[in-house]
Amino acid sequence: MRLPTPTTTSLLALALTALPALAAEQVTTEYTLTNDCKRKTQRGDSIQVHYKGTLASDGSKFDASYDRGQPLSFTVGKGMVIKGWDEGLLDMCIGDKRKLTIPPAFGYGDRAMGAAIPAGSTLIFETELMGIQGVDKDEL
């Protein structure tokens, strides 16, 4: 039987203490409404998304497409939006809703975005997929 050495034990302890930090650096997704469909969002799709964005630190709203009455249109998975959206809005059906918690590494990082989003902010987006260009609701 081989006993762990102090170096092995130290490395294991270091790895275990790093786990919460690693988890905090990933986008987390809460599925608030899911639908069955034949065609889900894929990289390269032009999609339309309604959203409300808030700061995790204090819950203050910094933007919402709902307030404008117009969803945001963009190509998912192509770097047109923050990385957290490019990853968090894949494999959705039209009508699905998700709550994305996006750490700075998948949002704006160490950059402030105007006065509303301080540098290093964790962002929370409540999203709703309104459409996928070229996909009719009849195909769902």
Side-chain angles (χ1 to χ4, degrees), residues 34-52:
T34 58
N35 298 288
D36 290 325
C37 66
K38 294 179 184 176
R39 175 64 162 75
K40 295 182 178 190
T41 55
Q42 307 168 8
R43 290 186 193 285
D45 281 341
S46 179
I47 64 173
Q48 298 80 46
V49 178
H50 260 311
Y51 67 91
K52 178 176 89 168

Side-chain angles (χ1 to χ4, degrees), residues 42-109:
Q42 307 168 8
R43 290 186 193 285
D45 281 341
S46 179
I47 64 173
Q48 298 80 46
V49 178
H50 260 311
Y51 67 91
K52 178 176 89 168
T54 58
L55 298 176
S57 60
D58 64 5
S60 61
K61 180 172 71 171
F62 56 81
D63 192 18
S65 65
Y66 293 106
D67 295 345
R68 293 184 292 279
Q70 183 72 30
L72 179 67
S73 296
F74 64 96
T75 303
V76 69
K78 296 293 183 179
M80 296 177 71
V81 293
I82 58 175
K83 188 174 180 180
W85 272 39
D86 267 345
E87 294 181 7
L89 298 177
L90 294 173
D91 298 318
M92 289 181 77
C93 294
I94 295 173
D96 281 3
K97 295 182 180 186
R98 291 183 180 173
K99 181 178 177 182
L100 306 175
T101 301
I102 302 175
F106 291 85
Y108 297 109

